[in-house]
Amino acid sequence: MTDFPADFLRHLKSAERVVVLTGAGVSQESGLRTFRDDPIGLWAQYKPEELATPEAFAANPKLVWDWYAWRREAAQNARPNAGHYALVELEKRVPQFTLVTQNVDGFHRAAGSQNVLELHGNIRRVRCSVCGAFADAWTDDGANVPTCLQCGGLLRPDVIWFGESLPQAELQSAVEAARICHVFFSIGTSVVVQPAASLARAAQKEGAVLVEINAETTPLTQTADFAFRGKSGEILPRLIEALTLPSR
Ligand code: NAD
Ligand code: ZN
């Protein structure tokens, strides 16, 4: 017996193309803070929207570098959770599976997901703010923002900041996958940052079954065909279990 509606399971079992969009909520159970949770501690006085912008980096590169260094360390010291691993299992069961993430923590790939589109970059990588060269290693003396070996420009995290355009190839693939999928999941995202909301709506408009998994309600909850309230690290493993049970 499962507590998932039978018609939802039926849709999912017969779906050939599934898209999953994830946000900061899926990493919350790994111990990483979401942006819209109440901030505590060292960075409480800053809003992410004020730190995650090109203007903030230009005005105070050290502050922005340090904020990301702190988040990078948090990601490196944390591990994917049961929700990430359940999505790896889901990918194995679906002929065409696309995982679109707004997260920059790299956990989906670390867990073993294969077809991952990172719309907002990856905090584990850095690149030069001037010439764009990627850097795998850098020395952080704690006093200055590390600089590019090629041109001396300041290094920055390889993430997309507010006001910057998304990586076009990833975005195109995500839009295309959303348009042709049979089931679209929106998981652990507040869907307030575009293109999250438009991807979900485009999928539904083209006939996909829209499913939301979130600890709270969002602007998508009302229109979703199925909305499951709770933690993704608990709901997703139960879903995989339900998929393995014979249909009633
Ligand atoms: P958000 O902070 O706006 O929203 C998080 C959502 O997750 C909320 O709707 C909340 O109700 C839900 N949630 C919290 N805990 C949950 C759980 N255990 N299970 C299910 N749902 C849960 O995050 P967002 O929508 O991803 O968008 C904001 C931006 O934040 C993105 O651009 C993203 O790049 C960035 N961000 C990324 C990380 C990360 O990589 N881990 C962390 C913080 C912010
Ligand atoms: Zn450079």
Side-chain angles (χ1 to χ4, degrees):
M1 276 296 276
T2 109
D3 50 354
F4 293 101
D7 50 342
F8 161 66
L9 292 177
R10 208 168 37 244
H11 280 302
L12 187 53
K13 282 181 178 175
S14 64
E16 289 198 0
R17 293 186 289 274
V18 171
V19 171
V20 172
L21 169 73
T22 64
V26 297
S27 295
Q28 184 261 339
E29 289 154 272
S30 291
L32 296 195
R33 250 181 254 153
T34 65
F35 272 2
R36 272 154 264 272
D37 289 340
D38 279 342
I40 44 168
L42 185 60
W43 302 101
Q45 63 228 16
Y46 303 105
K47 288 191 181 138
E49 291 83 349
E50 288 164 5
L51 290 170
T53 69
E55 293 76 21
F57 187 70
N60 198 340
K62 175 81 172 120
L63 175 75
V64 174
W65 175 269
D66 284 350
W67 186 59
Y68 278 95
W70 170 72
R71 290 184 55 202
R72 183 180 303 119
E73 202 181 310
Q76 276 162 349
N77 289 332
R79 295 285 165 269
N81 64 58
H84 295 107
Y85 290 113
L87 290 173
V88 178
E89 288 308 310
L90 187 59
E91 181 166 19
K92 291 180 189 159
R93 285 155 204 270
V94 174
Q96 238 178 291
F97 181 88
T98 310
L99 207 172
V100 182
T101 188
Q102 302 169 88
N103 293 346
V104 296
D105 54 40
F107 281 165
H108 287 302
R109 285 218 178 88
S113 287
Q114 300 290 315
N115 194 20
V116 182
L117 299 171
E118 290 176 327
L119 290 186
H120 291 169
N122 192 315
I123 200 170
R124 298 173 198 230
R125 294 190 303 256
V126 307
R127 62 180 152 94
C128 175
S129 61
V130 178
C131 75
F134 289 95
D136 291 328
W138 59 90
T139 324
D140 192 342
D141 63 10
N144 302 292
V145 175
T147 51
C148 171
L149 286 177
Q150 329 275 331
C151 79
L154 296 180
L155 294 181
R156 57 163 283 178
D158 187 25
V159 299
I160 309 301
W161 283 330
F162 292 99
E164 294 185 320
S165 45
L166 300 186
Q168 285 309 299
E170 276 83 354
L171 180 60
Q172 257 330 100
S173 305
V175 169
E176 185 56 23
R179 279 193 44 241
I180 61 171
C181 72
H182 300 118
V183 177
F184 185 102
F185 283 90
S186 174
I187 310 179
T189 169
S190 56
V191 276
V192 292
V193 181
Q194 284 299 354
S198 54
L199 279 177
R201 301 229 185 269
Q204 197 177 32
K205 190 162 161 267
E206 297 292 330
V209 173
L210 180 59
V211 186
E212 178 173 77
I213 299 175
N214 199 301
E216 289 169 18
T217 55
T218 77
L220 216 61
T221 312
Q222 279 291 319
T223 41
D225 297 289
F226 299 95
F228 303 108
R229 183 86 63 89
K231 296 187 168 196
S232 49
E234 292 168 7
I235 294 178
L236 285 169
R238 281 202 284 115
L239 175 58
I240 299 303
E241 238 177 78
L243 288 175
T244 31
L245 293 173
S247 314
R248 276 180 288 159

